[in-house]
Amino acid sequence: MLVAHPECGKVGAMSGPDFGAPAPGSQPPSATSAPQGAEPSAGSLPAYPAAAPSDPRTAQQALALRDLTKTFGDKVAVDHVNLDVPAGSFFGLVGPNGAGKTTTLSMVSGLLVPTAGRIFVDGVDVWADPAAAKARMGVLPEGLRLFERLSGAELLSYLGRLRGLPADVVNQRATSLLDVLDLSDAGDKLVADYSTGMRKKITLAAALLHSPPLLLLDEPLEAVDPVSARTIRTVLTQYRQAGGTVIFSSHVMALVEELCTHVAVMAAGRIVAAGELATVRGSAASLDDAFFHLVGGQERHTEGLSWLQSR
Amino acid sequence: MAAVPLTESAAAGQVRPAPLSLFAGLKWHLLVSRWRAANGASRAGMIVLLVVVALVLAAAVLGLCLLRRIPDVAPLAISGVFATLLVAWVLGPMIAFGVDETVDPQRFALLPLRTSNLQRGLLVSSLVGYLPIANAVVLVGAAIGMSSNWAVLPLALLCSALQLMTCVVFSRAASTAMASLMSSRRGRDLGMLIGFAVLALYLVLNVVLNSGSGLAGGAAKVAQVLSWTPPGSLASLPYLVTTGQWARVVVAAVIAVAFLAVGWWWWRRALVTSLTRGTSETEGSAPSRGLLNADAVGGSLSGTTRLVAGRVLTLMWRDPMRRMPWLLSLLMAIVWPLLVFRFSGAVYGCALGALLFGTQAGGMYAWEGSGLWLHMVAFGDRTRARAEVLGNLLVVTLPAVLLLMLSVGVVAAIRDDWANVPGALGLCLGLLFGAAGAAAVASAYLPYAMPQSRKSMFVSSVPGQKGRTARATIGTMLGGVVLALPTVVLVILAIAVSPVFGWAALAVAVVSAPIVLVLSSRIAAAKYLNSAPEILQLVSAGDRV
């Protein structure tokens, strides 16, 4: 069951032991920045033990994680992670396979219950006031199905109206999203018959539909063709320029280096470095090199493969 | 390992034909590994099943052997058996595609094999397995039944062997030709439709054959026609030889052999096509016509209910796995009472259909597999959660009420059973809403995964969750009966004491229906809000099956 961590309010102490670099945006919360809609809404989770559903001290951050932990049996998948994602940043979450990126993003998006710790989106605790927190997020998870037998247009129409948007607003937004993401021709096709790139694009459209301040994207460009990837990047860049915050996980360092303003490196469930891109990269030639050393990678010897030849 | 000779021959730069024993060995390994992977309980289950199958086979063989005492009937009866076997072999892979890994020639596409080599190898591997062995046993029985004179037994055995070959060749040819179709969503939908059609045909035939006159005459006529077909030719050859009808012997032999040759050729062509042309997964989506209730907006209870109901109804119509149970329930509501009850009170038989209709509300969080996340990220409030359950329940119960009124009316008209109609309607409504309410609660408290590949209409659970699925199903049925107890008691009184109680049963059912809807949606929604991540974890297992 969920346990609220007693240390959850310590926003000022940003550069904890988990941080290789000081996290950005660690200025103390100002009283003037009124967290929009941080008041609790009806329907909070009854199982959550008497936690305050919001924390104004984290309201300046698009996302704040406090001692977030997830264990599966004996295995610790996410280990007391503290992280602040400044509003308006393009935040890359990188790490080797099994580092805990997807687990972290799943807990943030409300798909996986944390073992301990708290998550604040815009100052609202995701697990204490899920209704308010979910309205502030758009999510693109990795490897999950959609309502396969709806068409792309139907899916957007349904999800938009489910979130309470009027039908004409939803239709107008869906049309422009399908148009920008080059899905207009496929709008009437069932999602079951979409390619990987098309699925990512329609999920992104669903995530953007209600114009949330925060986008959580798990491997948004994995297995996507270059044309679709370019479209997705353009849309994300524009979204950020309009004031949105993007958090995305990826294996592709070049992409992170090109797109991101901030980056956090995860390894074995912990944040080993976090901060502005240049800070994390430090003196390394590229983010790739920095990443390799941060996660403790070792060059493999390949002499044993000398037999590998075509003749 | 079994694949070594193949890679060695490839490394040597030449294609030596792979020995047929390799294919037989491959299939044998698959069978044995299934046994090895099973734990104690399922091994015991497999043994019990094998014993039961052996007993059934022994009975079948005995029956076929006895046919040799009546040489006039034997060819006709065995023609029917042979034709049925052939149809079963051809339709089997379409109804349950993917049971046998060696059915899919695409798995061999990357190996350096010539088509003729592959075809012979696949034939051999097709003959290894429980099903071919069971068939061979039955066919030996048929051979004995065909030989009224022991001298023709060798010929009869040859005919049986050819019959098995014909079955295997046509089954493989059809499934290979269908392979690309079956790997697409629309093809699998078609397969489910065929599976249902066979089931429906069986039920309807049952009613027709049970309804009285002319059964023997009709069956004889059908068998007469069948004896000119390829399986019929094989079945009647020994009889024709015994009676010295040599002209017909030649015709029958030509028909049988030519048919087998055509099958072999068709299979070869299908193999070449499937190995040289890739399948297209993204083809063939019919344009959608839009959601129902396209103006409903979420937020309020009624708005979200209408919105969710529109989606569920649309998906139900588009998804064969959801459409088929409806048709099945309707058959159970109309055909079953007519089949079983031949007296006054037949209308009460519709209650079984009502119970089945109600169970359609089960597993409401599992139908879309991990697609549940779309709801989880979109809302977390009590109102929408309740509305979601309510929308699902209304989509199941409202059409079911109309269909049950129809079926009670039809059965009452055919059996002239109008006096029992109020009680029967009450019982049906009580069980329908009881089962639907129990199903909704079970959806949240005992969620289980549903296979998302929609490969077979007969697969309803995923490995590792069979017990959970069974508990949820049985719980739903029992819960439905318990919730319907007031009406059940009144219906018993109506039958035993006075028909007036039938009206009371109807009144009680009508009053309790909305109460059940409201309470069950509240209970299910509360549980969903508390444990949506756990439910997602469980139902996501369906994605891989």
Side-chain angles (χ1 to χ4, degrees):
Chain A
M1 209 53 308
L2 266 178
V3 179
H5 200 279
E7 299 291 302
C8 60
K10 288 192 178 173
V11 186
M14 207 54 46
S15 44
D18 283 343
F19 288 74
S26 55
Q27 64 271 42
S30 79
T32 52
S33 66
Q36 40 144 199
E39 70 280 356
S41 72
S44 57
L45 277 179
Y48 198 83
S54 68
D55 183 350
R57 283 169 298 181
T58 61
Q60 278 210 330
Q61 311 295 334
L63 173 70
L65 308 183
R66 294 292 171 264
D67 279 321
L68 188 64
T69 303
K70 179 70 190 179
T71 54
F72 297 103
D74 292 339
K75 188 182 183 301
V76 183
V78 174
D79 192 1
H80 294 90
V81 162
N82 287 284
L83 188 67
D84 286 81
V85 175
S89 63
F90 208 126
F91 201 100
L93 185 59
V94 298
N97 287 330
K101 305 185 295 291
T102 297
T103 308
T104 305
L105 288 182
S106 296
M107 288 189 283
V108 174
S109 47
L111 300 178
L112 188 67
V113 189
T115 310
R118 298 186 74 181
I119 303 160
F120 300 95
V121 170
D122 248 358
V124 182
D125 189 316
V126 171
W127 288 93
D129 189 1
K134 284 168 183 181
R136 291 165 162 76
M137 282 189 276
V139 183
L140 187 160
E142 157 90 303
L144 296 183
R145 290 167 70 87
L146 301 166
F147 293 149
E148 302 285 321
R149 282 165 197 262
L150 294 186
S151 71
E154 287 168 349
L155 185 71
L156 294 186
S157 160
Y158 174 73
L159 292 173
R161 287 182 290 130
L162 185 61
R163 284 185 183 272
L165 298 172
D168 50 341
V169 174
V170 174
N171 287 340
Q172 189 196 335
R173 290 187 182 181
T175 308
S176 55
L177 278 169
L178 289 172
D179 187 39
V180 169
L181 289 165
D182 196 22
L183 286 172
S184 296
D185 292 342
D188 286 342
K189 251 171 103 169
L190 299 193
V191 173
D193 296 330
Y194 274 19
S195 67
T196 309
M198 291 159 82
R199 300 177 84 89
K200 296 263 185 191
K201 287 194 286 186
I202 198 71
T203 316
L204 180 64
L208 288 167
L209 201 56
H210 55 295
S211 187
L214 175 64
L215 267 190
L216 291 165
L217 316 172
D218 195 0
E219 307 275 7
L221 300 172
E222 188 91 329
V224 175
D225 67 278
V227 179
S228 298
R230 200 189 184 99
T231 313
I232 292 176
R233 279 157 54 179
T234 312
V235 170
L236 292 182
T237 309
Q238 194 185 336
Y239 167 80
R240 195 192 144 235
Q241 279 164 359
T245 310
V246 181
I247 302 174
F248 82 102
S249 72
S250 179
H251 290 121
V252 188
M253 293 302 139
L255 188 76
V256 173
E257 210 159 6
E258 182 194 329
L259 288 176
C260 292
T261 57
H262 296 70
V263 65
V265 182
M266 268 192 107
R270 290 174 160 265
I271 301 279
V272 292
E276 284 182 37
L277 188 68
T279 319
V280 172
R281 186 168 51 203
S283 58
S286 67
L287 186 61
D288 201 39
D289 285 348
F291 172 77
F292 197 74
H293 292 298
L294 279 167
V295 302
Q298 285 179 347
E299 303 288 354
R300 299 273 169 211
H301 298 290
T302 56
E303 288 87 10
L305 297 180
S306 55
W307 51 269
L308 194 56
Q309 55 189 7
S310 57
R311 287 279 167 240
Chain B
M1 237 355 257
V4 168
L6 289 176
T7 47
E8 271 178 359
S9 66
Q14 55 183 343
V15 180
R16 259 186 288 137
L20 298 183
S21 60
L22 182 72
F23 290 92
L26 182 65
K27 184 65 177 288
W28 177 249
H29 277 299
L30 281 172
L31 288 177
V32 173
S33 64
R34 231 171 262 165
W35 169 259
R36 278 205 202 112
N39 58 24
S42 46
R43 275 189 193 183
M46 283 159 98
I47 291 173
V48 169
L49 191 68
L50 275 179
V51 170
V52 170
V53 169
L55 287 175
V56 171
L57 278 181
V61 169
L62 187 70
L64 285 167
C65 288
L66 289 177
L67 278 174
R68 69 182 297 272
R69 302 272 181 84
I70 29 176
D72 293 342
V73 180
L76 295 182
I78 292 172
S79 293
V81 172
F82 277 19
T84 311
L85 278 179
L86 182 63
V87 170
W89 271 88
V90 173
L91 289 185
M94 268 181 254
I95 297 167
F97 195 78
V99 172
D100 181 353
E101 290 90 338
T102 58
V103 168
D104 188 359
Q106 291 281 344
R107 290 177 187 256
F108 296 91
L110 291 177
L111 299 179
L113 290 170
R114 297 218 177 281
T115 315
S116 55
N117 187 203
L118 176 61
Q119 194 179 8
R120 283 194 301 273
L122 286 176
L123 178 66
V124 171
S125 71
S126 306
L127 292 171
V128 179
Y130 306 113
L131 219 62
I133 289 172
N135 267 269
V137 170
V138 169
L139 287 172
V140 168
I144 295 171
M146 282 189 281
S147 19
S148 53
N149 179 348
W150 287 116
V152 293
L153 183 62
L155 175 67
L157 284 172
L158 178 70
C159 288
S160 287
L162 280 177
Q163 160 72 10
L164 186 59
M165 285 269 281
T166 308
C167 287
V168 170
V169 165
F170 270 87
S171 166
R172 283 305 160 94
S175 64
T176 309
M178 293 280 176
S180 58
L181 188 63
M182 294 312 257
S183 65
S184 74
R185 180 177 53 75
R186 294 198 113 193
R188 291 195 296 266
D189 292 5
L190 187 72
M192 293 185 97
L193 199 69
I194 292 172
F196 176 76
V198 171
L199 204 66
L201 198 69
Y202 166 76
L203 273 176
V204 170
L205 265 181
N206 235 324
V207 175
V208 173
L209 291 182
N210 275 321
S211 63
S213 65
L215 168 60
K221 255 189 204 135
V222 170
Q224 209 81 52
V225 175
L226 279 180
S227 71
W228 285 94
T229 62
S233 299
L234 284 171
S236 42
L237 254 178
Y239 174 74
L240 296 174
V241 169
T242 317
T243 52
Q245 304 180 46
W246 299 109
R248 279 213 56 195
V249 166
V250 173
V251 173
V254 167
I255 289 176
V257 173
F259 187 64
L260 182 57
V262 167
W264 188 259
W265 171 81
W266 180 28
W267 187 11
R268 169 77 56 94
R269 271 206 41 180
L271 268 178
V272 170
T273 312
S274 107
L275 292 177
T276 52
R277 276 184 225 157
T279 55
S280 51
E281 288 269 355
T282 56
E283 230 174 50
S285 187
S288 55
R289 294 204 194 86
L291 282 171
L292 293 154
N293 291 346
D295 57 332
V297 174
S300 65
L301 188 68
S302 65
T304 316
T305 304
R306 285 186 62 228
L307 177 65
V308 171
R311 175 190 67 99
V312 176
L313 210 54
T314 307
L315 288 176
M316 201 174 258
W317 185 248
R318 286 185 194 161
D319 186 347
M321 200 166 108
R322 305 189 71 167
R323 211 163 47 209
M324 293 304 152
W326 277 90
L327 293 172
L328 194 66
S329 308
L330 190 59
L331 272 179
M332 287 318 241
I334 296 186
V335 180
W336 192 77
L338 292 175
L339 203 63
V340 177
F341 302 102
R342 302 191 175 283
F343 43 84
S344 146
V347 280
Y348 288 117
C350 300
L352 181 65
L355 199 62
L356 289 178
F357 276 129
T359 59
Q360 303 304 315
M364 69 174 65
Y365 298 115
W367 281 110
E368 300 299 322
S370 59
L372 180 65
W373 77 270
L374 286 166
H375 272 183
M376 288 173 64
V377 301
F379 65 86
D381 58 305
R382 214 173 276 285
T383 312
R384 283 188 180 83
R386 275 182 54 200
E388 188 196 355
V389 183
L390 217 48
N392 270 290
L393 282 174
L394 290 179
V395 162
V396 169
T397 49
L398 291 185
V401 168
L402 295 178
L403 290 172
L404 283 170
M405 282 162 73
L406 174 78
S407 67
V408 167
V410 168
V411 174
I414 291 178
R415 290 275 181 257
D416 195 19
D417 196 17
W418 295 102
N420 286 316
V421 163
L425 272 181
L427 184 63
C428 285
L429 290 183
L431 284 172
L432 167 68
F433 282 90
V441 173
S443 298
Y445 277 85
L446 260 177
Y448 58 90
M450 291 188 195
Q452 294 299 309
S453 63
R454 308 289 199 259
K455 274 182 184 157
S456 166
M457 67 174 289
F458 301 109
V459 180
S460 59
S461 65
V462 305
Q465 293 195 18
K466 288 212 163 69
R468 179 171 267 279
T469 309
R471 283 205 302 282
T473 311
I474 294 168
T476 300
M477 293 275 192
L478 285 180
V481 174
V482 168
L483 286 174
L485 266 184
T487 44
V488 171
V489 170
L490 288 169
V491 162
I492 291 172
L493 288 176
I495 295 169
V497 183
S498 155
V500 178
F501 284 102
W503 288 102
L506 182 57
V508 167
V510 167
V511 171
S512 64
I515 299 174
V516 169
L517 285 185
V518 169
L519 284 182
S520 62
S521 63
R522 273 172 185 271
I523 296 169
K527 179 68 180 169
Y528 166 78
L529 283 176
N530 267 331
S531 57
E534 286 87 346
I535 296 176
L536 177 68
Q537 204 83 24
L538 278 163
V539 300
S540 294
D543 290 9
R544 299 185 291 275
V545 183

